[in-house]
Amino acid sequence: METIRIAIVDDHSIFREGLLSVLRTEPEIEIVGEGASAEDAVRLAREHLPDILLLDISMPGGGLNAAREIVRNFPVVKIIILTGSEGEADVMSALKTGARAYVLKGVAARELVNIIHSVHSGEIYVTPTLAANILSDMNAGSHQEAPEAPFEKLTDREQGILELIAAGTSNKEIGLKLHLTEKTVKHYVTNILQKLQVHNRVEAAVMALKNQSDHTR
């Protein structure tokens, strides 16, 4: 399997060192650099062009500022925000900068490794509870009619896949659960995004969670 080249930027040295020790045990992951500031993040992106850069938000220079510059100048570098912040503003800002994942620091090591592989394969990930919180805040006080029509367009199979997407399941994991090839799952996901008129998995997951909450009221 292809080696995933990773750089880690976090100004908490104890956390960074612990993360490094965990990821170095993974045979398919190569650590190419580490840093503690936004300036370090941009430098590492420029000098090493890692496949993935794990980046905290709260650091000297601002993690989101670094993410914005990296996405603009080094788009091949996929950014995973790994942070303690559960703030909706931070989540939305990170996604708008082009980060491919937003993960909380309490994540289990094995789950983080799985997320890294998913992002490397082109997927987007947001901790499902955070997606649900964003949805709740976005729709607070809103009594507009729920978007039933788009969901009615989905086949039973697509509905099932959408539920798994909303749960944060990767395409590979969906394939294993449903006995489908990953390529077939990607085809289904493309159809789902088109039918729901959304741009990515995160928006589809949020829309699915809203639909579920509307039906449980």
Side-chain angles (χ1 to χ4, degrees):
M1 186 175 289
E2 182 182 357
T3 298
I4 304 175
R5 301 170 64 255
I6 291 180
I8 300 172
V9 183
D10 192 298
D11 63 333
H12 294 91
S13 59
I14 294 178
F15 175 81
R16 189 175 70 248
E17 289 167 7
L19 187 57
L20 284 166
S21 66
V22 168
L23 294 181
R24 280 175 176 152
T25 66
E26 296 293 323
E28 296 159 4
I29 290 177
E30 176 188 356
I31 305 298
V32 298
E34 60 176 295
S37 68
E39 182 179 355
D40 289 340
V42 175
R43 175 181 55 78
L44 289 168
R46 180 177 60 251
E47 294 179 357
H48 298 284
L49 284 180
D51 297 310
I52 289 177
L53 193 149
L54 293 172
L55 182 66
D56 194 4
I57 285 180
S58 301
M59 64 170 61
L64 292 181
N65 291 333
R68 194 172 295 107
E69 184 171 348
I70 291 168
V71 169
R72 182 172 62 249
N73 296 311
F74 313 105
V76 297
V77 179
K78 297 182 176 71
I79 294 176
I80 294 178
I81 299 295
L82 182 58
T83 182
S85 173
E86 299 183 47
E88 176 192 331
D90 285 337
V91 180
M92 296 304 295
S93 294
L95 296 177
K96 287 178 181 178
T97 65
R100 304 303 296 271
Y102 195 100
V103 186
L104 296 179
K105 283 187 173 180
V107 66
R110 177 46 49 189
E111 185 178 355
L112 177 59
V113 171
N114 289 338
I115 292 169
I116 287 171
H117 281 282
S118 295
V119 171
H120 183 246
S121 68
E123 297 176 22
I124 295 174
Y125 179 90
V126 175
T127 300
T129 53
L130 292 181
N133 289 340
I134 293 171
L135 169 68
S136 177
D137 291 342
M138 285 172 58
N139 292 281
S142 174
H143 300 286
Q144 295 179 354
E145 183 180 352
E148 297 292 340
F151 289 96
E152 292 175 356
K153 296 178 183 178
L154 300 181
T155 65
D156 290 343
R157 172 69 86 183
E158 289 169 345
Q159 287 276 8
I161 290 175
L162 179 59
E163 289 176 4
L164 292 172
I165 291 173
T169 313
S170 70
N171 283 354
K172 183 176 181 180
E173 291 168 336
I174 292 173
L176 291 174
K177 286 177 180 291
L178 302 182
H179 307 291
L180 300 170
T181 66
E182 190 170 355
K183 183 176 180 180
T184 299
V185 173
K186 288 181 179 179
H187 175 72
Y188 274 117
V189 172
T190 298
N191 284 345
I192 291 169
L193 298 184
Q194 290 178 346
K195 289 181 179 181
L196 297 183
Q197 298 181 3
V198 295
H199 298 95
N200 55 54
R201 296 167 67 91
V202 175
E203 293 180 7
V206 170
M207 195 170 179
L209 289 167
K210 180 182 186 304
N211 187 60
Q212 291 170 12
S213 66
D214 288 342
H215 282 85
T216 55
R217 291 174 183 173

